């Protein structure tokens, strides 16, 4: 047995969540339903405008690790925070959730700790405004190869792919894990990031990864066309396991050339924040515990269904109990 079942590497972002009317979004110039990057001044302005804030350690991969911790797996996180109030909150909170925070807060950090202001509309749609801060400076020097080698699975976050040192950190992590017999994979995270770095994404997937998780837009962005089935087949030709979430149309999985399509129950979200992150948690739990692909997909859907039923990007109930109720374990 290795020290960790899943190690994640990604942005260490403090999530700050509040409810808001659409009129407030218009007033503040916030585009509904997307993630926007903002500068420091804009981040501080939006933070000051928020009422009844819910604060939690976030970032896509970190949210996934929280779900995996809820499911009882041993996890660790490679990320970069400053030694400031938010950075100390983040590292401490990750430890409280059961995930080992590998990197000490940086005392002489060049930028403040990252944060994301999330405005949740009455229809459950979330509008995210992210100040990347110090987390975007994560590079290969932040990667402890012995930690990656001691993981059965590593999970990478596509958002970090915008800088060369982020790419180098991914490659170093993936190769250390795979070299020790583990599996490495990525959540594509953002179709726009794919469009900026398509060739590098495809090179990473083909040469250094064992699995890829993305939604329809992200999978399509890899090959620049509107034929999802053709895109899935193309990714499957360079990667052993491809997972595509298709919103109300379910989940499509191709493993070693065998395709599995899974229908899902449609529901109206209270807050869609973290749905993809928790799908990944459920799916990776199944992968780490040897479940078949249909069960992995159903686990992902169940975990996503739990998180969209309440405010916040992390599960509030026992996922093992939920999986038992659904006959998944």
């Amino acid at each position: 047995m290795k020290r960790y079942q899943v190690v994640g590497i990604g942005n260490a972002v403090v999530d700050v969540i509040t409810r808001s009317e659409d009129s407030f979004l218009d007033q503040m110039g916030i585009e509904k339903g997307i993630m926007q990057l903002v500068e420091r001044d804009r981040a501080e302005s939006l933070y000051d405008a928020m009422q009844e804030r819910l604060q939690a350690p976030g970032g896509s991969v970190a949210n996934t690790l929280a779900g995996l911790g809820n499911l009882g797996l041993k996890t660790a996180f490679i990320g970069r925070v400053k030694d400031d109030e938010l950075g100390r909150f983040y590292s401490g909170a990750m430890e409280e959730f059961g995930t080992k925070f590998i990197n000490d807060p940086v005392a002489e950090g060049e930028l403040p700790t990252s944060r994301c202001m999330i405005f949740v509309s009455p229809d459950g749609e979330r509008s995210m405004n992210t100040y990347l801060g110090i987390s975007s400076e994560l590079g290969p020097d932040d990667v402890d190869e012995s930690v990656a080698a001691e993981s059965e699975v590593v999970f990478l976050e596509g958002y970090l792919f915008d800088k060369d040192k982020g790419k180098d950190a991914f490659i170093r992590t993936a190769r250390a894990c795979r070299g020790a017999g583990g599996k490495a994979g990525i959540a594509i995270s953002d179709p726009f990031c794919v469009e900026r770095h398509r060739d590098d994404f495809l090179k990473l997937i083909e040469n250094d990864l064992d699995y890829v998780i993305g939604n329809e837009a992200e999978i399509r962005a890899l090959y620049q066309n509107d034929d999802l089935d053709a895109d899935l087949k193309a990714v499957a030709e360079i990667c052993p396991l491809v997972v595509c979430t298709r919103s109300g149309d379910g989940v499509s999985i191709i493993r070693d050339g065998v395709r599995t399509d899974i229908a899902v129950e449609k529901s109206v979200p209270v807050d869609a924040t973290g749905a993809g992150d928790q799908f990944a948690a459920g799916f990776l739990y199944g992968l780490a515990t040897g479940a078949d692909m249909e069960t992995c997909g159903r686990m992902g859907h169940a975990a996503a269904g739990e998180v969209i039923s309440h405010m916040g990007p992390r599960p509030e109930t026992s996922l093992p109990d939920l999986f038992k109720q659904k006959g998944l374990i």
Side-chain angles (χ1 to χ4, degrees):
M1 289 290 293
K2 293 192 175 184
R3 190 188 319 169
Y4 305 109
Q5 287 160 293
V6 180
V7 168
I9 176 172
N11 279 307
V13 183
V14 177
D15 282 336
V16 188
I17 307 170
T18 191
R19 292 187 180 275
S20 63
E21 298 294 330
D22 289 349
S23 58
F24 174 83
L25 301 183
D26 292 337
Q27 177 186 343
M28 296 298 295
I30 298 169
E31 189 170 348
K32 183 177 178 179
I34 68 169
M35 192 282 287
Q36 291 181 301
L37 297 179
V38 299
E39 298 299 327
R40 185 173 181 176
D41 290 347
R42 172 71 167 163
E44 292 173 350
S45 174
L46 291 176
Y47 182 86
D48 290 342
M50 302 177 87
Q51 298 180 357
E52 299 181 4
R53 295 182 290 250
L54 172 67
Q55 184 171 291
S60 180
V61 166
N63 289 336
T64 296
L65 293 175
L68 289 166
N70 183 294
L71 285 159
L73 297 194
K74 294 180 180 178
T75 61
F77 181 67
I78 298 170
R80 188 174 178 86
V81 298
K82 186 176 181 178
D83 188 11
D84 55 17
E85 183 177 353
L86 283 179
R88 291 187 292 273
F89 162 78
Y90 191 97
S91 60
M94 288 294 288
E95 296 277 353
E96 289 176 10
F97 279 114
T99 293
K100 176 66 176 176
F101 193 79
I102 299 299
N103 307 74
D104 292 332
V106 182
E108 301 299 326
E110 58 274 27
L111 295 169
T113 295
S114 310
R115 72 286 312 267
C116 179
M117 282 65 65
I118 303 171
F119 299 87
V120 182
S121 300
D123 61 1
E125 191 63 78
R126 81 276 194 214
S127 307
M128 299 183 289
N129 295 262
T130 303
Y131 169 62
L132 290 177
I134 195 173
S135 69
S136 65
E137 298 302 316
L138 186 141
D141 291 343
D142 296 303
V143 175
D144 185 336
E145 289 181 309
S146 68
V147 172
E150 276 296 315
S151 178
E152 296 173 18
V153 176
V154 295
F155 187 44
L156 316 175
E157 179 181 314
Y159 286 127
L160 270 177
F161 218 65
D162 265 325
K163 293 191 176 182
D164 287 342
K165 56 186 173 182
K167 298 174 188 177
D168 292 342
F170 279 5
I171 292 170
R172 184 172 185 175
T173 304
R175 290 180 179 174
C177 176
R178 299 180 85 203
K183 295 184 182 299
I186 193 170
I188 298 176
S189 301
D190 180 12
F192 301 110
C193 187
V194 173
E195 290 172 6
R196 292 190 292 271
H197 307 282
R198 184 174 291 106
D199 290 345
D200 285 342
F201 258 110
L202 290 172
K203 186 183 298 183
L204 177 74
I205 291 169
E206 182 172 10
N207 297 325
D208 292 294
L209 300 184
D210 300 289
Y211 65 91
V212 175
I213 300 174
N215 61 29
E216 292 180 81
E218 292 158 359
I219 296 295
R220 283 178 173 151
L222 288 169
Y223 292 97
Q224 295 179 281
N225 65 57
D226 292 326
D227 188 339
L228 180 62
D229 288 338
D231 291 340
L232 283 170
K233 183 178 179 181
V235 183
E237 288 176 352
I238 63 172
C239 187
L241 174 57
V242 183
V243 184
C244 180
T245 57
R246 306 174 64 182
S247 189
D249 293 327
V251 181
S252 295
I253 302 168
I254 302 179
R255 185 177 198 180
D256 297 328
V258 178
R259 178 163 173 165
T260 303
D261 292 301
I262 305 162
V264 299
E265 299 174 8
K266 296 182 180 180
S267 61
V268 178
V270 173
D271 172 15
T273 308
D277 303 337
Q278 295 313 318
F279 172 86
F283 184 87
L284 291 177
Y285 174 80
L287 187 66
T289 56
D292 60 76
M293 289 297 97
E294 181 169 356
T295 300
C296 288
R298 291 176 61 203
M299 286 176 168
H301 175 59
E306 191 282 338
V307 82
I308 68 173
S309 69
H310 57 77
M311 289 281 287
R314 299 184 172 200
E316 292 185 347
T317 60
S318 167
L319 292 182
D321 288 347
L322 177 62
F323 285 8
K324 289 177 184 176
Q325 292 170 14
K326 293 182 176 291
L328 298 174
I329 57 175

